[in-house]
């Protein structure tokens, strides 16, 4: 708790500066106080908060507004908050910066992560069912065993992402980029890959029955029947 309290003066100072220049973008100070005292803040406004490097393990932020928040290098491992991974169910993380965050096992069911920056973020075994990640940047993200059932990843960048053993059933990846992504053992039943860039992806061991691949881009893509280079330029 001491570590978290030490960053409060900085956060409040930033709030004062921000509120005087951009009043509609400042987070609610009462929401921050509630979060500090109770280790949870449901449906509260923490938009544009700076939690960079904070340990949010066990924190409950369901349906919270964290749009534009700086969450770089945050951790979801015990420590400051005990009681398991951070719960961000249905939280709004639009345009949030989550680069290099450790969100292993995090609960993000129904969360909104449109245009969020998730480069190099660790989301192994995270619960992202029905989450919205339109145009999110998940370059090199670690999503091993993640639950992405019904997730909307339209236009998302998943280049180099580790999606091994991930569940992408019924997920929408229309126009997404998966160049160099790893999908060994992934479940794709009912997934939509219309116009998806599958450059260099190995799908040789993945069941593709029921997967929509219309207009998908194949280049050095390994399919069960062999390599497909039809989309190479």
């Amino acid at each position: 708790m001491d570590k978290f309290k030490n960053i409060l003066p900085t956060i409040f100072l930033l709030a004062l500066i921000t509120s005087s220049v951009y009043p509609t973008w400042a987070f609610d100070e009462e929401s921050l106080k509630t979060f500090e005292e109770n280790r949870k803040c449901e449906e509260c406004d923490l938009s544009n908060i700076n939690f960079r490097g904070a340990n949010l393990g066990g924190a409950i932020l369901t349906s919270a507004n964290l749009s534009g928040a700086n969450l770089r290098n945050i951790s979801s491992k015990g420590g400051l908050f005990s009681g398991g991974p951070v719960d961000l169910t249905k939280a709004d993380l639009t345009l949030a910066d989550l680069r290099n965050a450790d969100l292993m096992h995090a609960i993000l069911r129904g969360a909104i992560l449109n245009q969020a920056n998730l480069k190099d973020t660790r989301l192994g075994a995270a619960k992202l069912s029905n989450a919205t990640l339109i145009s999110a940047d998940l370059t090199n993200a670690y999503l091993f065993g993640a639950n992405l059932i019904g997730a909307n990843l339209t236009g998302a960048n998943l280049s180099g992402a580790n999606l091994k053993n991930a569940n992408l059933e019924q997920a929408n990846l229309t126009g997404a980029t998966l160049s160099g992504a790893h999908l060994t053992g992934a479940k794709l039943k009912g997934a939509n890959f219309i116009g998806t860039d599958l450059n260099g992806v190995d799908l040789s061991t993945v069941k593709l029955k029921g997967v929509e691949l219309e207009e998908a881009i194949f280049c050095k893509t390994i399919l069960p029947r062999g390599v497909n280079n039809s989309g190479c330029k």
Side-chain angles (χ1 to χ4, degrees):
M1 183 64 73
D2 290 338
K3 178 183 175 182
F4 186 73
K5 286 184 176 180
N6 288 337
I7 69 172
L8 289 179
T10 301
I11 293 175
F12 282 120
L13 178 59
L14 289 172
L16 290 174
I17 295 173
T18 305
S19 61
S20 63
V21 182
Y22 304 107
T24 60
W25 283 84
F27 61 83
D28 180 61
E29 293 183 15
E30 286 301 315
S31 291
L32 179 59
K33 183 178 180 180
T34 297
F35 179 58
E36 180 206 7
E37 295 176 349
N38 304 305
R39 303 193 305 183
K40 66 179 181 180
C41 192
E42 301 174 86
E43 299 184 2
C44 62
D45 182 6
L46 291 170
S47 55
N48 296 285
I49 194 78
N50 185 356
F51 277 159
R52 182 171 181 169
N55 191 328
L56 302 180
I60 299 174
L61 290 159
T62 56
S63 299
N65 179 5
L66 287 155
S67 57
N70 184 346
L71 301 169
R72 290 187 67 178
N73 302 307
I74 64 168
S75 173
S76 183
K77 298 178 180 177
L80 177 62
F81 296 109
S82 59
V86 61
D87 188 346
L88 291 158
T89 300
K90 295 184 178 180
D92 185 352
L93 291 148
T94 301
L95 292 171
D97 186 348
L98 289 144
R99 282 174 288 175
N100 297 301
D102 187 345
L103 290 169
M104 298 288 287
H105 303 280
I107 303 169
L108 288 146
R109 296 187 186 96
I112 302 171
L113 291 133
N114 297 336
Q115 299 181 63
N117 192 335
L118 293 144
K119 287 183 179 178
D120 300 306
T121 298
R122 294 177 61 80
L123 287 157
K127 299 172 178 61
L128 286 150
S129 56
N130 299 309
T132 303
L133 298 107
I134 298 173
S135 298
D137 191 343
L138 290 143
T139 303
N140 296 321
Y142 182 81
L143 289 148
F144 185 97
N147 184 345
L148 288 151
I149 295 175
N152 188 346
L153 290 148
T154 300
N157 188 347
L158 289 143
S159 298
N162 186 339
L163 288 154
K164 292 180 180 180
N165 294 336
N167 194 334
L168 286 153
E169 294 181 353
Q170 305 299 323
N172 185 356
L173 291 106
T174 300
T177 299
L178 276 82
S179 179
H182 307 279
L183 288 156
T184 303
K187 297 179 181 179
L188 305 177
K189 185 177 180 181
N192 184 343
F193 282 83
I194 295 177
T196 302
D197 184 350
L198 295 167
N199 190 336
V201 177
D202 185 352
L203 297 170
S204 61
T205 61
V206 178
K207 294 181 180 179
L208 297 175
K209 185 177 180 179
V211 178
E212 181 59 68
L213 291 165
E214 184 180 351
E215 297 182 6
I217 301 171
F218 299 112
C219 182
K220 299 179 182 179
T221 306
I222 306 175
L223 300 173
R225 295 184 179 181
V227 178
N228 189 326
N229 289 313
S230 61
C232 292
K233 296 181 180 180

